[in-house]
Amino acid sequence: MSARFITFEGIDGAGKSTHIERVAQHLRAQGADLVQTREPGGTALAESLRGLFLHQDMDGLTEALLVFAARRDHLQRVIAPALALGQTVLCDRFTDASFAYQGGGRGMDWQVLSTLEQWVQQGRRPDLTFWFDVDPAIAAERRAQAREADRLEKLDLDFFERVRAAYQRRADEAPDRFARIDAGDSIEGVGRQVVAVLEQRGW
């Protein structure tokens, strides 16, 4: 199987992380050599920046600059080398999250984020993005049952409604790349949706 770059997106509590392993199992069965990673994170530097991002107060522009700095290191040290070796990369969040959280949630200018995307990625984009779409109220209930909230997860439902709308905008801008998953379905139902997308693409 040729190298693929697959990302997983959605508001906190959508359940995307649960299904990364499902995708990994499916692709390994097809003979893929996989690298699983996450953002912010994936390298020693990026993980350090993740800690700041999740726990230190800052404005939207600072958030974006911090995450794109982490992304640059992640691309150079992990993602690009893996793809060059023919490996498939599964990444929990990527640039769509920046447009959703800092663009939609924080109200940052879309064009500023687009410029950062161009500078940092130099044309590199995912081959497929799973968008786990769910009502923010349902996601909030799931988060409350699962873990202690970080500083972003503590924000109100209006914030997450804006994040969700920004994901929809990104999906509308790249319909061939995005696969919307109804994340309000059962775990089994979501898993079937994910596998169906892979099978439709012959993966």
Side-chain angles (χ1 to χ4, degrees):
M1 182 177 176
S2 60
R4 309 286 185 189
F5 182 21
I6 303 174
T7 56
F8 299 77
E9 297 284 356
I11 63 175
D12 298 276
K16 60 182 173 51
S17 301
T18 302
H19 294 281
I20 293 177
E21 189 55 42
R22 174 72 65 91
V23 173
Q25 291 173 0
H26 177 89
L27 294 179
R28 286 193 184 101
Q30 311 306 313
D33 182 13
L34 298 180
V35 171
Q36 292 177 240
T37 188
R38 69 177 183 177
E39 289 209 348
T43 69
L45 173 59
E47 290 291 337
S48 296
L49 296 177
R50 177 188 179 89
L52 295 174
F53 176 81
L54 292 179
H55 302 294
Q56 297 291 323
D57 288 335
M58 61 190 77
D59 69 359
L61 177 56
T62 305
E63 286 179 358
L65 293 171
L66 200 65
V67 171
F68 273 103
R71 182 165 297 132
R72 177 64 179 174
D73 194 59
H74 191 205
L75 277 164
Q76 286 192 306
R77 296 179 184 272
V78 176
I79 295 172
L83 294 171
L85 291 173
Q87 296 173 307
T88 288
V89 176
L90 306 183
C91 191
D92 187 346
R93 297 200 189 282
F94 194 61
T95 302
D96 297 304
S98 298
F99 281 86
Y101 280 80
Q102 283 73 55
R106 299 297 196 194
M108 273 196 67
D109 185 276
W110 210 257
Q111 187 55 52
V112 171
L113 293 169
S114 295
T115 299
L116 289 171
E117 180 182 29
Q118 293 165 11
W119 286 352
V120 168
Q121 295 170 217
Q122 299 180 339
R124 175 77 69 186
R125 287 184 173 83
D127 298 298
L128 170 63
T129 296
F130 285 104
W131 171 33
F132 292 81
D133 183 30
V134 68
D135 186 307
I138 294 174
E141 292 176 3
R142 291 175 178 175
R143 292 195 305 271
Q145 295 171 3
R147 59 183 178 269
E148 184 177 349
D150 62 40
R151 70 181 185 89
L152 291 177
E153 292 174 342
K154 292 176 181 177
L155 294 171
D156 60 23
L157 287 180
D158 286 344
F159 175 85
F160 286 102
E161 289 285 4
R162 295 193 300 274
V163 171
R164 184 187 190 188
Y167 271 127
Q168 182 65 67
R169 178 176 172 182
R170 286 289 279 182
D172 291 342
E173 291 175 349
D176 293 338
R177 173 168 68 84
F178 265 78
R180 179 189 175 275
I181 302 297
D182 178 5
D185 200 351
S186 66
I187 291 177
E188 295 78 11
V190 171
R192 287 191 293 269
Q193 292 178 63
V194 167
V195 171
V197 170
L198 296 171
E199 290 178 342
Q200 288 167 7
R201 291 176 176 246
W203 298 359

